[in-house]
Amino acid sequence: MWFKEHKKQILIGVIAVLAIAAALAVGIFIGRGKQETPNPTTDTEAVTDTATEEPDTESDADVSQYNVEIFTSGSWDSNGSVGATYNVRFSNTSDADVSAWYIEVEVPEGSTVADSWGCTTEVKGKTLTITAVDWGAAVAKGQTIEVGFNMTTPTAITPSISALYVDGKKQDGSAAATTEEASTEEIEPEERPEPESGTPLENHGALQVEGTQLVDASGAPYQLKGVSTHGLAWFPEYVNKDAFQTIRDDWGGNVIRLAMYTDESGGYCSGGDKEQLKALIDTGVNAATELGMYVIIDWHILHDTDPKINQGEAEKFFAEMSAKYANYDNVLYEICNEPNGGATWDGSIKPYAETIIPIIRKNDKDAIIIVGTPTWSQDVDIVADNPITGQENIMYTVHFYAATHTDNIRNKVTYALDKGLPIFVSEFSLCDASGNGANDLNQAEKWFDLINSNNLSYCSWSLSNKAETSALIQSGCSKTSGWEESELSETGKWIRNQIRGN
Ligand code: IDC
């Protein structure tokens, strides 16, 4: 493919725009290692030596091993200088546990750190070294850890990571570039689809599950195709009727997923404004309903790893949502986005689902309920061996990020479908699991062969203009609806084609 052949040029292009990436509020550093099987979370093989980086070749399956980002979570005036809280999030997406790591960040001379947690800090000239200690130092495979510190700088800064060392070895890293600058591949637009006469909801009514298949009110197989919002608290401006109408009429989509984080900053269970978040859901549900589109209310667990952690809140939330939308045939419930960490199917997720489902069913007897699966919604094979019984209209999620998740997750999907498990791809993108990095369009095509040959429903992450590859809108575009071709990111163009074309 052109993209593969020109990978080096693209990488050079990516490097050329680091100056632009430096303007981002979040500095991300991807530690790269040589590893053939790019699934960060389920492989059991030992990691190859991440220090010996070989030149890129076409067949080289380089993947991100660690994703480290630094971001500020509040700043204040400090006698003419700028005080701020900085958080460093380290995600170990490699197949081996990490026992020590540190990063270097460039800071203005004269910067001073007042206090820190999970790390120690040292400023030498313009280099700030942040070394993880105590609970911050050991990061098991698949785990994410956040450390932080308060620092005063003579002027406001946008921190970015210049070096990452893991277990004594320097990682060859690349800061993430914004989508539009990194994009060099020409994606020819598919023709805009002929609009259906009548809305999706008018034509297809209340959906049901039959075997592995989503079917419409008349029993005919039906595929939901659409987009997920980013976190509602972070990109509320995309929850509007015109945006959804663009997805319906220009893209040919019929579903919107409303992603409400539970435990990230501003999350429903982590200090977010509950009433405001529910008002956004209501705006989204009503906009979708007026347009005759389907809409998923997503309890977006992620940082909180195990759905049991916020189960009490989830029980109240879904009782309230299902009572409010009991008569809406177009509302679907997704009860736990991506269980991860120690959350097992038998021990946590299944019992959680078996508690939440009856709460929804009390109000809404037949809505589709989508259940997350272990390991960031990848292990549908485990679920297929022990699905929830005695319930109708239940589906299970598989999520993929094409540059990270490949054959072995597709094999899990095939296995699960063969065993009769109904699967919904409620979130995916074309880049790596961080939501950033280069797209792998080859792998994305393989995924879509599987999706379309099995008529699986899907929502693409994310309807936002965040400066990350998975955002569907160019980061320089502030329009919140009615996007032109040129205002879509590479991901946005490719996804629109998919939705338009099938
Ligand atoms: C990412 C967003 C990113 C945000 C981060 C917060 O793209 O902007 O800072 O969450 O933790 C998922 C999650 C989804 C992630 C996405 C990309 O469901 O919330 O969004 N991803 O990392 N699973 C696999 C990938």
Side-chain angles (χ1 to χ4, degrees):
M1 270 194 80
W2 188 95
F3 178 72
K4 282 271 171 196
E5 286 161 15
H6 293 72
K7 200 171 166 193
K8 282 212 181 79
Q9 286 92 318
I10 292 169
L11 285 177
I12 291 164
V14 168
I15 290 162
V17 299
L18 293 184
I20 297 164
L24 303 179
V26 179
I28 300 179
F29 186 104
I30 313 260
R32 290 165 69 85
K34 180 175 169 290
Q35 190 198 18
E36 285 304 313
T37 314
N39 177 353
T41 48
T42 54
D43 274 357
T44 47
E45 286 166 28
V47 199
T48 51
D49 183 359
T50 54
T52 43
E53 179 73 351
E54 280 180 6
D56 248 353
T57 64
E58 275 177 43
S59 59
D60 206 355
D62 264 1
V63 294
S64 304
Q65 300 287 289
Y66 315 105
N67 184 0
V68 190
E69 51 186 318
I70 183 164
F71 54 97
T72 49
S73 56
S75 63
W76 55 90
D77 179 59
S78 173
N79 297 325
S81 298
V82 183
T85 298
Y86 297 82
N87 303 84
V88 182
R89 189 179 291 153
F90 181 105
S91 295
N92 180 3
T93 48
S94 79
D95 279 339
D97 296 346
V98 162
S99 55
W101 58 275
Y102 69 93
I103 60 170
E104 288 171 358
V105 174
E106 207 174 299
V107 294
E109 253 170 288
S111 300
T112 51
V113 175
D115 55 338
S116 61
W117 45 99
C119 61
T120 57
T121 61
E122 188 188 12
V123 184
K124 263 197 190 150
K126 289 185 175 170
T127 305
L128 164 68
T129 304
I130 301 150
T131 306
V133 293
D134 308 329
W135 51 266
V139 192
K141 62 180 175 179
Q143 222 191 12
T144 296
I145 264 178
E146 207 170 286
V147 302
F149 55 96
N150 290 319
M151 179 168 66
T152 304
T153 52
T155 50
I157 61 164
T158 303
S160 85
I161 300 167
S162 52
L164 164 67
Y165 293 80
V166 178
D167 290 333
K169 290 175 193 155
K170 184 168 186 179
Q171 306 296 309
D172 169 54
S174 56
T178 60
T179 306
E180 71 262 47
E181 292 86 5
S183 163
T184 52
E185 175 147 18
E186 283 305 318
I187 295 175
E188 286 298 317
E190 292 258 350
E191 285 299 305
R192 189 182 170 142
E194 273 298 308
E196 277 182 272
S197 77
T199 69
L201 186 60
E202 280 164 0
N203 294 339
H204 300 282
L207 307 178
Q208 312 150 57
V209 178
E210 262 181 36
T212 61
Q213 186 61 64
L214 190 61
V215 301
D216 70 10
S218 73
Y222 190 57
Q223 188 181 24
L224 290 178
K225 304 179 292 178
V227 300
S228 174
T229 65
H230 201 289
L232 289 183
W234 298 331
F235 291 90
E237 64 273 29
Y238 292 88
V239 183
N240 74 76
K241 189 175 169 188
D242 289 344
F244 296 1
Q245 184 155 7
T246 306
I247 300 298
R248 187 192 70 176
D249 295 347
D250 186 42
W251 296 39
N254 51 18
V255 63
I256 304 285
R257 176 189 193 231
L258 303 172
M260 186 185 71
Y261 281 95
T262 50
D263 196 38
E264 265 66 4
S265 103
Y268 193 83
C269 309
S270 54
D273 183 331
K274 287 191 168 63
E275 292 313 312
Q276 220 167 46
L277 288 164
K278 284 187 286 198
L280 275 166
I281 290 175
D282 201 47
T283 302
V285 168
N286 287 325
T289 306
E290 284 164 30
L291 294 161
M293 296 176 83
Y294 295 87
V295 58
I296 300 172
I297 299 176
D298 164 37
W299 182 255
H300 201 86
I301 70 160
L302 188 63
H303 185 249
D304 40 348
T305 66
D306 188 324
K308 281 189 157 171
I309 288 175
N310 286 313
Q311 179 167 328
E313 292 281 11
E315 290 175 15
K316 282 189 267 172
F317 176 78
F318 283 109
E320 191 178 333
M321 291 298 110
S322 58
K324 195 163 175 186
Y325 303 120
N327 299 321
Y328 288 57
D329 283 344
N330 58 329
V331 173
L332 294 80
Y333 302 95
E334 182 170 350
I335 63 175
C336 50
N337 168 50
E338 289 186 0
N340 62 84
T344 60
W345 176 247
D346 293 346
S348 288
I349 311 164
K350 191 178 185 212
Y352 166 84
E354 286 169 340
T355 308
I356 301 295
I357 293 167
I359 290 173
I360 297 174
R361 286 287 176 253
K362 210 170 147 198
N363 297 316
D364 196 332
K365 302 236 163 332
D366 47 19
I368 306 286
I369 299 175
I370 307 168
V371 183
T373 61
T375 322
W376 292 281
S377 285
Q378 293 169 23
D379 294 342
V380 282
D381 51 341
I382 293 175
V383 176
D385 288 339
N386 182 20
I388 292 161
T389 53
Q391 292 287 347
E392 308 274 301
N393 295 333
I394 306 295
M395 300 188 85
Y396 301 89
T397 46
V398 77
H399 288 176
F400 70 86
Y401 282 74
T404 302
H405 307 118
T406 59
D407 275 336
N408 62 336
I409 311 294
R410 284 193 289 272
N411 292 341
K412 287 171 185 274
V413 173
T414 309
Y415 173 89
L417 288 171
D418 285 348
K419 285 215 138 186
L421 197 78
I423 291 181
F424 198 122
V425 186
S426 58
E427 187 188 300
F428 73 96
S429 192
L430 319 177
C431 57
D432 69 41
S434 71
N436 215 335
N439 284 332
D440 189 333
L441 301 182
N442 266 330
Q443 288 295 334
E445 271 161 26
K446 289 188 184 171
W447 271 105
F448 268 84
D449 287 346
L450 181 69
I451 285 175
N452 288 329
S453 61
N454 290 287
N455 212 31
L456 302 182
S457 293
Y458 60 87
C459 293
S460 166
W461 187 259
S462 76
L463 186 61
S464 78
N465 69 346
K466 182 161 178 175
E468 61 181 10
T469 314
S470 54
L472 296 165
I473 313 301
Q474 295 264 10
S475 61
C477 170
S478 55
K479 278 163 70 174
T480 55
S481 64
W483 308 281
E484 304 294 331
E485 169 83 8
S486 61
E487 291 164 335
L488 302 179
S489 66
E490 178 186 71
T491 307
K493 289 176 193 163
W494 199 92
I495 299 292
R496 187 178 69 163
N497 276 352
Q498 274 304 329
I499 300 177
R500 279 182 169 187
N502 59 71

